[in-house]
Structure formats: C-alpha cells, structure tokens
C-alpha cells in the first residue's frame, strides 16, 4: 500500500510544493485531492522558479504521472494557462496529466459571486482569493454543480447552465447590483473545453486503485493547510474543502486502508494569509522583519503573509486530526540570523493554561501563547546537507520541536532550491 499523503500542518503556505517535488522523484504518481487554483506551490530547480496552482508539482519530474482528483474544483482557463506556462518552460505533460471525470468546474459566475461577496459592505468577508473556489463548492454541495462529465453531453450542459445562470443572474443583480451574465457566451466557452479536456479525462479512482494494486508509489497532495480545513480549521476563516489527510480518500476515491504514511509539512515558524485568529502573531515590526527574511508573500496572490513563532499547540492538533507520522520542516534557514527563537508550548485562556487547540473562535482570539525561548545559532544553514552539518543550537531547536509534537522530522528544508534539503529518514 505505497500511498503517502502530504498535508499542510498550519494555515497553508508551508512549502508543500517543494516537498512533493522531492518525494515525486521516487514516485510513479502524484495526485491532488482538493482545492482549486487558489493554491500556489512554488518549486525552484536549477535557478528556475515554477509556480503551480492546479497541476501537482510532481509534473516537474518527467517520470511521474499527475492526477487531478474529483475533490478539486477546476477552472479550465487557469488549467490551460498553466499547461502553456509549463510548455514554454520545457515541461511536457503529454500522457502525464489525468483529470477525474467527476471533477467539478469553476464557472464565470462563481468568480463573480466570490468577488462580489468579498467586496460587499454588508457581508462578512474572510479574505478569499476571489477565484470562485467557495461558490463552486457551494454549488457542489447544493447539487447544482457542473462536472467535467457534463461537458460530454452538450444538450445536458446547455440545460444545466441555462438554469444555473438564470438563478445566479438574479443573485448578482438583486443583491450585488452586478451586470447580467451572457448565458450563451458561457455555454459556447465551456462547450469548447469538452474537446480541450478530452485527452486528460479519466476514471482516476479506478486508475489509482489499479496502481495501488500493482504496487506503484503514490503521493497524494493537498492544498492549503489543516487550520484552513472546513471542519477542523479556524471556522469561518477557512477554505471550502478538507485539506486534512481524510480528504485524500474522498477527493481521490481511494479507501483509508490504502494509505500507509501521512507527512505533515510545517514551517520552522508560523504564517497565515487573510483574516482570522493567529495566537503567536508577531508585533508589526517583527512581522515585517520575518516577511522580508522569509519572502512571505502569497505565490498565488502576492498578498503579504502574517508571521509568528512556531506554534506547537497547533502542530499537535494537526498531528491529531491528520494522523501525521513525520514532519517535513521547511524554512529553517530563515531563522539563521536571530539571537533568540521561541516556541509556543501552550495557551493561557482566562488565566488558566490549556494545551489543546480551541474550537470556539472567540477563545482562539483571546488565548495568550506560552512561549519557551531557545538561543539562536547565528550561522548559515543553507549549505547543510546532513543533520550533522547543522549548528548545535539548530539541532537543539529541531529536537525540541520533535519532542513537543511527539513527531520526528524526516525532511528538512534549508532553502528554496531543490538541493537545499536534508533527507533525515525515508
């Protein structure tokens, strides 16, 4: 059962793209199981920067087949822009990209609704990317979604889109005062996608289960992070799907008994984008310092990320809900110049110490982090290729994270380049 699930263990942006790229070098298949084009996975190989949004970062390894599973919501226009980008950069996808015929599609009205809601003065905003992800998942749950398989029946597609657009026009006009959508133009646009997507469409659940039976090595890749999970994240400041490891089963059509390892990707500190509680967030000056040190700007939107100390309460919660077996810890090098480094080992709420991550938003907003200090190492770590090459204080910091989270570090990233990686264990 050679299936390894790679999950973000914080609020996303942990460096999953690089980790999946590394693991894919020995993988037959890399499969994406949820999210949409709001994900931004950055990989740097031989000085060349690749930013991927929908295609799994395993595509950068020529022997890896990539799968976009049914749990993803797919924007065809964004997908083909990405394919063109890869082609220009010399990355061939021929015979190496498969898309589930059950994958739901993002429509123009999803993007319009997303942007209208986020810019509304009368509705609560959560800081989405405006790419239509949430509204697409709403339609999926409301049984009004358009799936790739619907593209294959033009008359059925016309009927579904006509009804959907009629309803969405009423919402856009009466609630948000937006212009009416041209139903015929959208029908024509998406009818052309049927031919373009044709070579990629497959029953990927069957494909993956046959690959598992044949002993293929599979990486299942999530987008975003655990604390953005629809059920277990800092609700309502969350994404619209399940990035946790359980989402790999529903998002790919494989049973939980087929998964044999869950790897959590986690930064040596903590970041989040958008609104929502953040217990270990820095003050404004330190926040800006870390943002510049770590180049903490969103790969998809360019938005500045909020930064804070490593949160072990959050990390232990991620281990709990994902069943994490090992860590891939990233951006250790960002801490190289610091005199002192801190880890949040617990929270205080109303003067009492708690060690669990609260569910209530007002409690998360009001906790006081309990911080433990560690001496910095004041040496460059980016050239280290073995754990033994690291400064002693860096090794002590890693040991503290392993002990507090009761989870070993298997992969350590000390820079953005592929080669700036320490493989501690398989």
């Amino acid at each position: 059962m050679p299936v390894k699930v790679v999950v973000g263990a914080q609020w996303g942006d942990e460096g999953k793209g690089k980790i999946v790229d590394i693991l894919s070098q020995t993988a037959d298949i890399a499969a994406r199981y949820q999210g949409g084009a709001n994900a931004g996975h950055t990989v740097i190989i031989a000085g060349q920067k690749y930013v991927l949004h929908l295609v799994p970062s395993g595509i950068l390894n020529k022997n890896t087949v990539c799968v976009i599973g049914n749990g993803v919501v797919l924007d065809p226009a964004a997908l083909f822009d990405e394919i063109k980008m890869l082609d220009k950069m010399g990355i061939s996808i021929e015979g190496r990209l498969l898309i589930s015929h059950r994958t739901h599609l993002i429509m123009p009205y999803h993007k319009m609704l997303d942007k209208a809601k986020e810019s509304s003065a009368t509705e609560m905003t959560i800081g989405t990317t405006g790419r239509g992800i949430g509204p697409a998942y709403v339609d999926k749950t409301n049984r009004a979604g358009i799936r790739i398989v619907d593209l294959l029946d033009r008359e059925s597609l016309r009927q579904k889109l006509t009804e959907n657009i009629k309803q969405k026009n009423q919402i856009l006009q009466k609630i948000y005062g937006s212009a009416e959508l041209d139903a015929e133009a959208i029908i024509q646009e998406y009818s052309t996608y049927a031919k373009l997507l044709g070579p990629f469409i497959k029953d990927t659940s069957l494909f993956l289960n046959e690959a598992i039976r044949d002993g293929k090595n599979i990486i299942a890749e999530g987008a975003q992070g655990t604390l953005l999970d629809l059920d277990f994240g800092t609700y309502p400041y969350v994404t619209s799907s399940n990035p946790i490891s359980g989402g790999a089963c529903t998002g790919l059509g494989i049973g939980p008994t087929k998964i044999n390892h869950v790897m959590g990707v986690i930064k040596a500190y903590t970041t989040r984008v958008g609104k929502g509680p953040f217990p270990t967030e820095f003050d404004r000056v330190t926040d800006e310092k870390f943002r510049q040190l770590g180049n903490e700007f969103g790969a998809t939107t360019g938005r500045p990320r909020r930064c804070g100390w490593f949160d072990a309460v959050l990390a232990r919660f991620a281990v709990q809900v994902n069943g994490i077996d090992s860590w891939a810890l990233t951006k250790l090098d960002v801490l190289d110049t610091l005199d002192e480094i801190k880890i949040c080992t617990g929270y205080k709420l109303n003067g009492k110490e708690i060690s669990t991550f609260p569910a209530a938003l007002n409690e998360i907003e009001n906790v006081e982090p309990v911080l433990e200090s560690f001496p910095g190492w004041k040496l460059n770590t980016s050239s280290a290729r073995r754990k033994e090459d690291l400064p002693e204080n860096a090794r002590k910091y890693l040991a503290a994270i392993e002990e507090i989270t009761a989870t070993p570090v298997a992969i350590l990233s000390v820079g953005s380049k592929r080669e700036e990686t320490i493989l501690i264990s398989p």
Side-chain angles (χ1 to χ4, degrees), residues 332-333 335-338 341 375-399 412 414 422:
L332 183 72
D333 56 298
L335 307 179
D336 284 353
T337 61
L338 302 184
I341 302 163
W377 43 90
K378 307 285 286 185
L379 293 167
N380 186 294
T381 60
S382 61
S383 60
R385 296 297 177 265
R386 301 178 306 151
K387 189 175 180 180
E388 295 74 20
D389 296 335
L390 294 171
E392 182 181 0
N393 283 349
R395 296 198 303 273
K396 288 181 177 179
Y397 181 69
L398 290 175
L412 180 62
V414 291
I422 299 172

Side-chain angles (χ1 to χ4, degrees), residues 327-348:
W327 293 126
L329 191 139
T330 64
K331 293 205 166 185
L332 183 72
D333 56 298
V334 175
L335 307 179
D336 284 353
T337 61
L338 302 184
D339 295 313
E340 181 185 40
I341 302 163
K342 297 180 181 181
I343 292 177
C344 171
T345 58
Y347 296 154
K348 282 186 177 179

Side-chain angles (χ1 to χ4, degrees), residues 194-214:
K195 292 181 180 178
L196 293 172
L197 288 169
F200 308 111
I201 299 172
K202 194 174 184 68
D203 183 343
T204 54
S205 171
L206 177 62
F207 171 78
L208 289 169
N209 278 280
E210 288 179 342
I212 292 168
R213 181 198 63 197
D214 294 340

Side-chain angles (χ1 to χ4, degrees), residues 38-84:
N38 53 346
H41 291 174
T42 303
V43 181
I44 299 177
I45 304 170
Q48 178 66 63
K49 182 178 180 179
Y50 302 87
V51 180
L52 299 163
H53 304 282
L54 282 164
V55 180
S57 44
I59 202 71
L60 302 176
N61 295 282
K62 63 181 181 180
N63 296 319
T64 304
V65 174
C66 290
V67 170
I68 295 176
N70 57 277
V72 174
V73 285
L74 182 74
D75 181 345
L79 174 68
F80 287 110
D81 283 345
E82 199 162 307
I83 289 172
K84 289 177 185 175

Side-chain angles (χ1 to χ4, degrees), residues 16-38:
K16 295 181 294 296
K18 176 182 176 179
I19 301 304
V20 172
D21 170 64
I22 290 166
L23 294 174
S24 296
Q25 293 178 59
T26 56
D28 300 296
I29 299 166
R32 168 87 177 272
Y33 61 82
Q34 50 77 224
N38 53 346

Side-chain angles (χ1 to χ4, degrees), residues 183-259:
E184 188 58 36
I186 294 173
I187 291 167
Q188 291 300 322
E189 177 187 357
Y190 276 73
S191 293
T192 63
Y193 287 135
K195 292 181 180 178
L196 293 172
L197 288 169
F200 308 111
I201 299 172
K202 194 174 184 68
D203 183 343
T204 54
S205 171
L206 177 62
F207 171 78
L208 289 169
N209 278 280
E210 288 179 342
I212 292 168
R213 181 198 63 197
D214 294 340
K216 300 290 187 182
N217 188 11
I218 300 169
I219 304 298
E221 170 188 10
Q224 291 88 38
T226 299
L227 273 295
L228 291 178
D229 186 87
L230 184 59
D231 289 283
F232 290 98
T234 49
Y235 191 89
Y237 298 99
V238 294
T239 193
S240 304
S241 57
N242 293 109
I244 61 171
S245 59
C249 297
T250 55
L252 295 174
I254 59 174
T257 56
K258 307 301 182 185
I259 296 168

Side-chain angles (χ1 to χ4, degrees), residues 294-324:
N295 190 29
E296 294 295 352
F297 299 90
T300 297
T301 63
R303 291 184 297 177
R305 296 174 185 142
R306 299 155 62 190
C307 303
W309 294 120
F310 184 89
D311 190 333
V313 181
L314 183 156
R316 289 194 297 263
F317 180 68
V319 172
Q320 171 188 313
V321 299
N322 288 292
I324 291 172

